[in-house]
Amino acid sequence: MKKFLLPVAAITLTLVSFKLPFRPNPTIAPVTDSFALADPNTTNEVPQDHKMVIYQVMTRLFGNKVTTNKPYGTITENGVGKFNDITDTALQEIKKLGVSHVWYTGVLEHATMTDYTAHGITLDDADVVKGRAGSPYAVKDYYDVAPDLAVSVKGRMTEFEALVKRTHANGLKVLIDFIPNHVARSYKSDAKPAGVVDLGEHDDKNKAFAPQNNFYYIPGKSFVVPAGANPLGAAVGPKEDHKYFEMPAKATGNDVFSEQPSINDWYETVKLNYGVDYLNNRQQHFEPVPDTWRKMRDILVFWTRKGVDGFRCDMAEMVPIEFWGYVIPELKKINPSLVFIGEAYNPQVYRQYLEQGKFDFLYDKVGLYDGLRRLMRGEGTTEDITHVWREESRGFGSHMLRFLENHDEQRIASPDFATDPRTAIPAMTVTATLASGPVMVYFGQEVAEPAADAEGFSTRDGRTTIFDYWGVPEHQKWMNGGKFDGGRLSTEQKHLRDFYGRLLRLTLGSDAIRRGHFYELQEANSQAEGYDRHAVYSYLRYTDQQKLLIVVNFSRDKTLKPTIQIPAAARQAAGLNLGRLTYTDLLNNAPTTESLTLNLAPLSAYVFEIKAKE
């Protein structure tokens, strides 16, 4: 692991069509088409307190103490984390980091090469499984949990239910995945409640599309395993012979309506049918309500009654908006506080998924994440941040989930991303404090996990594998054999984790960050001496109770010494009087000053509380 040093908090402060009724969500502010009548440095969004801090846990990896890390290794060789490994101590330490919600990723039973036939679970065919452990997004049974995650396979659901109760007892809420677009090719529910009809059980397989079918078919054609499929390298998996039988073939999960998906497709999955006829100009058949809609509703009800507090909805845009507008209100009749987060990548439809689709939050990946990634790599400017709040998510920024890592993205500390984990200091500060919406951290991010290895099916690509059994080395140093005390972390890692804790606790505890208005200071400081507006970003967050000034420096090597200007319009908007003011850096616990002449260290961040001098 590359050694790194955190910058000293050096602030030298001198004196100075489905016919559902369409009801736009009244909590989402309208977009102003012209800035002529409004201050272009702020937004007309009505602030809402949607601040959640989500800690994403790849459940299979989180508690694994085995350090063998053999590429393509078996569960016996490389080990696996269990529900029971996420102990009270682990949860308390996560809570102390400043977390409110834990997203347990990969809970549902999915296709795997590990043999559980002794427990009555059908062995999957390696021809349609990616990696030894298998993708958690190729669900094999919506009504069951992964046997890998249980100490007692027979008692696996009981162990999951205990984890939910344990998480709640430690003051945290539970999120899990809902994967509505596709399932494993081997899907068959063994655990479904009495009376539940399985997916595809009543399908007319002679039709490529029928509104009440659960799957799409290629009649008269057998599925063809991609020629390059090689899930275990030199090893051979169970039943691996490129002869997986599926007749008629089903459409593949990423909208491939052919019996021959490519090696680059989601060939291990099949697409679910929500009443859209893709081969006939996407004609919609939503009346009567498609059978798949009702089945998915019942699955969500099942997990809600297990005590789950919310769902991260995989590839939400691949499922009709009309379905979400149907199912989310249905679930909120059972639990009005349920949280629905949509994985979304098309800014053109964000507002529609929030208003018509009724999502609480959407991913802000192609906006803020991508812009900050460029800045962290030295390739972008702070104008990318301005574009996000001013245009892309204008009016609904508090409904966007912000993050710098998750299971799909590369690790900050990897050479594929930024290499230097300190680049997260300014970027994560913006991620957490730019708006009043939720923020997310991926396990291991706070200790600079670099994902440096080729784990097997997952190559050396800067991502922590979701396909293989593996131990996550830097995370294991924090886990310290189950003590969860950071006992094996380096000094630099401890400093980095301390930064995350200070930032996230401040994020949850600050009135201005949770529900405050926003005012950007880039224009006011664009000509100021020492203010490099391509590397420095500053803004106010304020309520009637608290006023904050946030300043970050993205430069890796330049110490900048600007005097921050707060213009009259911003002062008036924030209710800052013209008398003498004091500035206290809450993020770095620095002494109070009366000056805004700053010494901005490379890769640094500051959160000043502004008060009238007594």
Side-chain angles (χ1 to χ4, degrees):
M1 176 185 173
K2 179 181 173 63
K3 294 292 183 182
F4 56 92
L5 295 173
L6 289 170
V8 177
I11 318 173
T12 305
L13 290 157
T14 60
L15 290 176
V16 235
S17 192
F18 176 68
K19 302 298 193 296
L20 288 169
F22 182 79
R23 301 186 182 93
N25 187 340
T27 64
I28 302 175
V31 173
T32 302
D33 293 328
S34 171
F35 299 118
L37 301 178
D39 187 334
N41 300 297
T42 189
T43 172
N44 56 353
E45 181 173 355
V46 178
Q48 302 167 69
D49 184 357
H50 292 322
K51 189 58 70 179
M52 303 155 44
V53 176
I54 301 168
Y55 190 80
Q56 184 189 0
V57 167
M58 185 65 196
T59 317
R60 180 203 296 150
L61 304 179
F62 181 85
N64 185 19
K65 305 177 185 67
V66 179
T67 59
T68 304
N69 284 355
K70 174 185 174 182
Y72 296 106
T74 67
I75 191 171
T76 302
E77 292 168 326
N78 282 354
V80 68
K82 307 289 186 180
F83 292 132
N84 290 357
D85 290 325
I86 307 171
T87 62
D88 286 308
T89 301
L91 292 166
Q92 274 301 301
E93 291 305 314
I94 292 170
K95 173 81 170 175
K96 289 176 186 176
L97 195 64
V99 171
S100 60
H101 293 65
V102 182
W103 167 18
Y104 293 116
T105 305
V107 163
L108 301 185
E109 183 184 353
H110 56 270
T112 177
M113 294 190 206
T114 299
D115 188 348
Y116 289 104
T117 53
H119 302 277
I121 299 172
T122 304
L123 180 64
D124 290 301
D125 190 320
D127 286 337
V128 286
V129 180
K130 289 182 176 178
R132 180 81 71 178
S135 169
Y137 293 94
V139 172
K140 184 178 176 178
D141 189 343
Y142 276 125
Y143 286 102
D144 208 348
V145 297
D148 276 352
L149 304 179
V151 174
S152 166
V153 174
K154 182 179 180 181
R156 57 191 180 277
M157 186 62 78
T158 300
E159 290 185 27
F160 172 72
E161 292 167 348
L163 174 61
V164 172
K165 292 178 181 177
R166 191 160 61 249
T167 305
H168 289 159
N170 282 283
L172 296 160
K173 292 187 179 294
V174 173
L175 306 176
I176 66 169
D177 292 284
F178 174 52
I179 300 110
N181 175 68
H182 51 271
V183 294
R185 287 201 177 268
S186 59
Y187 187 91
K188 185 179 187 302
S189 178
D190 299 319
K192 63 184 185 295
V196 172
V197 177
D198 213 358
L199 286 168
E201 192 173 328
H202 291 166
D203 279 8
D204 183 346
K205 299 179 182 179
N206 295 312
K207 294 181 179 179
F209 168 80
Q212 298 301 320
N213 275 1
N214 299 135
F215 298 114
Y216 297 94
Y217 297 93
I218 297 90
K221 301 285 186 177
S222 294
F223 172 73
V224 179
V225 178
N230 183 24
L232 291 183
V236 177
K239 308 180 187 179
E240 184 180 355
D241 56 9
H242 278 72
K243 296 179 181 179
Y244 180 78
F245 182 73
E246 181 182 279
M247 176 67 182
K250 300 184 182 78
T252 294
N254 59 322
D255 296 357
V256 175
F257 294 85
S258 164
E259 76 279 9
Q260 291 186 277
S262 79
I263 190 66
N264 297 315
D265 290 319
W266 305 347
Y267 65 84
E268 82 281 20
T269 70
V270 291
K271 173 86 173 177
L272 284 167
N273 172 8
Y274 283 81
V276 179
D277 188 351
Y278 285 85
L279 300 182
N280 286 290
N281 299 315
R282 296 177 178 257
Q283 291 180 8
Q284 297 178 341
H285 300 263
F286 298 159
E287 295 181 3
V289 172
D291 183 68
T292 302
W293 291 26
R294 294 192 296 268
K295 282 184 166 62
M296 294 296 109
R297 176 201 61 198
D298 293 346
I299 289 161
L300 286 166
V301 168
F302 175 85
W303 292 104
T304 298
R305 288 177 173 160
K306 294 286 185 187
V308 169
D309 301 294
F311 301 91
R312 177 268 188 188
C313 301
D314 187 69
M315 301 306 297
E317 293 166 308
M318 296 184 77
V319 173
I321 291 176
E322 291 84 355
F323 165 72
W324 297 114
Y326 157 83
V327 80
I328 292 175
E330 286 288 297
L331 267 293
K332 291 199 174 187
K333 291 176 185 177
I334 298 172
N335 179 2
S337 64
L338 272 179
V339 173
F340 282 85
I341 300 169
E343 181 190 12
Y345 299 103
N346 181 5
Q348 301 303 313
V349 296
Y350 284 171
R351 181 173 288 273
Q352 193 175 1
Y353 271 84
L354 291 168
E355 294 182 345
Q356 186 181 354
K358 306 299 182 184
F359 273 99
D360 297 296
F361 308 108
L362 299 176
Y363 268 37
D364 194 351
K365 193 275 179 191
V366 300
L368 192 63
Y369 169 88
D370 281 353
L372 291 175
R373 179 185 169 100
R374 288 190 290 271
L375 273 163
M376 294 165 74
R377 290 170 57 87
E379 299 166 353
T381 77
T382 58
E383 292 172 1
D384 288 335
I385 305 173
T386 302
H387 174 76
V388 169
W389 72 259
R390 185 179 285 172
E391 298 179 39
E392 197 168 87
S393 58
R394 185 176 180 85
F396 51 86
S398 62
H399 292 270
M400 301 305 290
L401 169 66
R402 269 78 191 245
F403 55 85
L404 292 180
E405 283 190 7
N406 64 39
H407 68 280
D408 285 319
E409 308 303 337
Q410 291 168 325
R411 293 286 194 176
I412 296 165
S414 75
D416 304 87
F417 188 161
T419 305
D420 187 345
R422 296 177 305 162
T423 58
I425 293 171
M428 196 68 207
T429 300
V430 172
T431 297
T433 67
L434 188 70
S436 58
V439 61
M440 183 168 72
V441 173
Y442 190 34
F443 87 107
Q445 175 182 341
E446 74 278 23
V447 294
E449 171 56 45
D453 300 308
E455 300 100 332
F457 188 85
S458 187
T459 60
R460 187 178 286 106
D461 61 0
R463 297 174 178 86
T464 294
T465 181
I466 66 170
F467 304 102
D468 306 278
Y469 297 112
W470 204 253
V472 183
E474 304 309 316
H475 167 73
Q476 287 177 325
K477 292 177 182 178
W478 170 72
M479 188 167 59
N480 196 20
K483 296 179 182 178
F484 299 98
D485 61 0
R488 294 170 51 216
L489 295 177
S490 69
T491 299
E492 294 88 348
Q493 286 174 304
K494 290 177 181 177
H495 287 169
L496 184 67
R497 193 173 190 278
D498 177 66
F499 158 74
Y500 275 94
R502 285 184 280 114
L503 174 64
L504 298 178
R505 289 189 295 272
L506 176 59
T507 297
L508 271 190
S510 165
D511 186 66
I513 295 172
R514 292 190 68 100
R515 64 180 190 90
H517 291 270
F518 167 87
Y519 197 105
E520 186 185 86
L521 300 176
Q522 294 299 90
E523 181 180 315
N525 289 277
S526 62
Q527 304 302 317
E529 184 178 353
Y531 194 99
D532 179 354
R533 66 174 298 166
H534 296 298
V536 177
Y537 192 71
S538 61
Y539 51 100
L540 298 175
R541 295 293 310 282
Y542 57 90
T543 64
D544 54 348
Q545 300 295 317
Q546 187 182 43
K547 329 290 182 185
L548 297 180
L549 165 65
I550 299 162
V551 185
V552 299
N553 179 13
F554 285 96
S555 174
R556 291 190 180 216
D557 53 15
K558 292 181 182 178
T559 296
L560 301 170
K561 300 182 180 181
T563 298
I564 303 296
Q565 306 295 321
I566 302 177
R571 286 175 175 266
Q572 182 178 1
L576 294 171
N577 61 48
L578 298 179
R580 297 174 69 181
L581 301 174
T582 63
Y583 307 93
T584 305
D585 183 5
L586 303 180
L587 181 58
N588 299 297
N589 302 314
T592 298
T593 179
E594 295 182 43
S595 170
L596 280 181
T597 297
L598 310 182
N599 187 28
L600 305 179
L603 300 178
S604 58
Y606 313 89
V607 180
F608 298 102
E609 185 169 31
I610 308 172
K611 290 185 176 181
K613 182 176 174 61
E614 297 180 357

